[in-house]
Amino acid sequence: MIRSTSRTLVRDLRRHLGETVSVRGWATTLRRQSRMQFVVVRDHTGTAQITHRRRGAGDAVEAALESLTAESAVRITGTVVDNPVVKLGGLELVPHEVEVLNRAEAPLPIDDRTGIEQRLDRRFLDVRRRPEAGLLFAVQTTLEQGMREFAYAAGATEMHTPKLMGAASESGADVFALDYFDRSAYLAQSPQFFKQMAIAAGIDKVFEVGPVFRAEPSFTSRHATEFTGVDVELAWIDGVEDVMSFEERMLAHALAKVAEAHGDAVAERFGTDVAVPETPFPRMTMAEAQEVLRRGGWDPEGAKEDLDPEGERRLAAHVEEETGHEFVFVTHYPATIRPFYHMRSAERPDLTLGFDLLWKGLEITTGAQREHRHDVLLEQAAEKGLGTGPLRDYLDCFRYGCPPHGGFGMGLARVLMVLLGLDSIREAVFLFRGPHRLTP
């Protein structure tokens, strides 16, 4: 008999039939009968049944198993035995030694019927107890890996930009202010300006995966005050089409990796298929989108310049029905509802060369070709009533030969929401931050 003193993961137990191994995890199901004790132990790779026949007084294994509570951390050393009757992999672990590493208090503060807000209060337990929650973060890791892999192959440089700013970006709205020694500072709403500075610094392609802060008092299922953004900026572009092409190919590459690594598990745990989208994605101007939607009864007064959540859902359903595609780029937004640094159309100066990307009716990305001409930027800032003082460092980048460029910002949690069919962004992050939540 071979004895392993190192940890063996549950998913690897079948490779150790007849051997003595050590499993470490949490006790979940406890069934203690008059003659037998059954305990299910879970680690991050799966669950295994521990089966012990009681021996009565002096049986240390029996005493240790009897003392267990649900979610206690344990180390169990025993022999792996083939048993086709056992539903968990057709095997069991017959214990020789049980060590209770940390006995959990009972009863647990959450159970399978606990609502989301209470589960978020005990998020560490919530994630640990639900395999689908743990799978979410494995999917997130693979998704980010795929996007980075694509960006690296395209020659992009990964940057880490400041999250503390000396001046509120753009209009100064929706920013968090904080004390910074003898003056005020602000949490960055976006790495946008810093990405453009990197382009001006001669770095051809830039991307960043990092935190973004928005002081928006929004209580919807898709808003958060802190989230992870995936930001890309590309230099020397011929037009905004170059930006959209980069994003759709990056997403297709990343989703293919997720499908390969986790497709079966996602289907089992979330009931959704990880479909790899075909490129190019459909494109539709804002004017075309509004025309389609208004024919269907959306905004009959014609008062809305932008798409609201209902409009986004209706448009996505229309595009999927017409093309079979879950994604759609909506382009050429009115300049009145876009930032001053978005380039305007030469043919239609009232429209920007900007876009949103919708996936199954949820906006996951905003992007654009940027205005790179200093004089035009000044005009567009003035048009929106922005003083150039707080923007001085940013605007300075465009005075000395900044090339044409464009990029996008993507919300990572929103992508995960759609990918896994989640109802709320609260489920798509580890520790959610919203207007009423700063803990845990």
Side-chain angles (χ1 to χ4, degrees):
M1 181 180 294
I2 301 172
R3 179 181 178 85
S4 173
T5 56
S6 61
R7 182 187 186 190
T8 298
L9 297 175
V10 167
R11 69 183 174 203
D12 298 328
L13 285 178
R14 179 149 296 278
R15 300 196 328 222
H16 297 277
L17 284 175
E19 300 177 12
T20 297
V21 300
S22 177
V23 170
R24 305 171 201 187
W26 289 272
T28 56
T29 306
L30 308 171
R31 289 192 297 125
R32 291 171 286 216
Q33 302 173 352
S34 60
R35 295 188 178 184
M36 300 293 295
Q37 294 168 302
F38 301 96
V39 176
V40 174
V41 171
R42 177 190 67 245
D43 67 13
H44 68 283
T45 68
T47 53
Q49 178 173 294
I50 312 301
T51 305
H52 178 65
R53 183 177 297 277
R54 293 180 185 269
R55 296 188 179 89
D59 184 351
V61 170
E62 178 180 333
L65 292 177
E66 199 67 20
S67 73
L68 286 180
T69 55
E71 294 303 323
S72 292
V74 296
R75 175 166 51 217
I76 297 180
T77 302
T79 303
V80 183
V81 177
D82 193 28
N83 186 345
V85 176
V86 177
K87 294 180 180 179
L88 299 177
L91 51 78
E92 60 191 356
L93 188 65
V94 178
H96 311 319
E97 181 182 353
V98 175
E99 183 179 357
V100 182
L101 302 173
N102 192 328
R103 185 177 183 275
E105 292 184 15
L108 294 172
I110 61 174
D111 59 27
D112 294 339
R113 298 178 299 277
T114 303
I116 185 171
E117 289 301 324
Q118 289 71 39
R119 288 194 288 109
L120 291 183
D121 290 337
R122 308 280 184 169
R123 185 64 162 154
F124 67 95
L125 266 181
D126 179 44
V127 171
R128 185 206 301 173
R129 294 177 69 253
R130 295 190 300 117
E132 61 269 28
L135 175 59
L136 182 146
F137 299 111
V139 169
Q140 175 185 298
T141 298
T142 302
L143 184 69
E144 287 189 51
Q145 179 189 11
M147 290 190 287
R148 281 191 167 94
E149 188 175 82
F150 180 86
Y152 294 151
T157 299
E158 186 168 8
M159 304 290 283
H160 301 286
T161 61
K163 305 309 165 199
L164 286 171
M165 302 180 68
S169 57
E170 298 183 46
S171 65
D174 298 331
V175 293
F176 289 110
L178 55 99
D179 293 332
Y180 190 77
F181 301 105
D182 60 345
R183 58 196 184 278
S184 293
Y186 306 88
L187 293 178
Q189 288 177 292
S190 162
Q192 180 60 53
F193 290 176
F194 298 125
K195 288 190 301 178
Q196 292 183 265
M197 289 180 187
I199 293 297
I203 303 175
D204 246 35
K205 299 181 179 68
V206 176
F207 80 98
E208 177 172 7
V209 180
V212 177
F213 303 91
R214 299 281 170 86
E216 296 177 300
S218 297
F219 300 90
T220 73
S221 61
R222 60 183 190 170
H223 284 92
T225 53
E226 178 183 353
F227 59 92
T228 299
V230 180
D231 280 85
V232 172
E233 206 72 21
L234 311 172
W236 306 105
I237 64 172
D238 292 321
V240 68
E241 180 62 35
D242 291 349
V243 181
M244 292 188 289
S245 174
F246 187 97
E247 180 176 20
E248 64 193 2
R249 289 181 291 119
M250 184 176 77
L251 275 170
H253 178 85
L255 290 173
K257 290 190 71 71
V258 172
E260 180 181 4
H262 309 291
D264 292 342
V266 168
E268 177 185 353
R269 294 294 181 184
F270 293 96
T272 62
D273 293 326
V274 182
V276 181
E278 294 184 2
T279 59
F281 297 173
R283 276 95 159 124
M284 182 178 289
T285 67
M286 173 60 89
E288 292 169 338
Q290 289 175 328
E291 181 182 352
V292 166
L293 290 171
R294 285 170 182 151
R295 284 203 304 264
W298 175 84
D299 185 32
E301 295 83 11
K304 296 178 181 178
E305 285 189 289
D306 204 351
L307 300 181
D308 58 13
E310 180 190 0
E312 291 174 347
R313 288 190 293 269
R314 287 192 181 196
L315 182 65
H318 169 81
V319 171
E320 186 167 10
E321 182 179 351
E322 291 292 316
T323 69
H325 215 292
E326 297 177 346
F327 291 86
V328 58
F329 283 110
V330 182
T331 67
H332 295 84
Y333 279 72
T336 52
I337 60 173
R338 286 311 219 200
F340 78 96
Y341 53 79
H342 281 200
M343 181 175 279
R344 310 283 176 85
S345 167
E347 295 78 20
R348 288 283 306 274
D350 58 322
L351 301 178
T352 65
L353 300 179
F355 62 86
D356 280 356
L357 177 60
L358 309 182
W359 186 13
K360 292 185 180 180
L362 183 65
E363 175 203 317
I364 62 170
T365 294
T366 294
Q369 180 170 359
R370 320 301 184 187
E371 180 53 68
H372 62 282
R373 295 163 294 184
H374 183 257
D375 57 336
V376 179
L377 275 169
L378 291 177
E379 292 174 5
Q380 293 181 178
E383 180 184 304
K384 289 186 176 287
L386 298 176
T388 57
L391 300 170
R392 182 185 58 195
D393 291 336
Y394 167 71
L395 292 170
D396 200 41
C397 297
F398 304 97
R399 297 174 59 196
Y400 304 102
C402 185
H405 62 283
F408 59 86
M410 179 194 308
L412 181 63
R414 288 194 179 188
V415 174
L416 289 167
M417 274 183 66
V418 182
L419 176 59
L420 302 177
L422 304 176
D423 293 328
S424 172
I425 202 168
R426 291 166 172 79
E427 300 273 18
V429 297
F430 180 45
L431 298 174
F432 173 73
R433 291 293 179 259
H436 292 331
R437 182 169 287 278
L438 271 174
T439 58

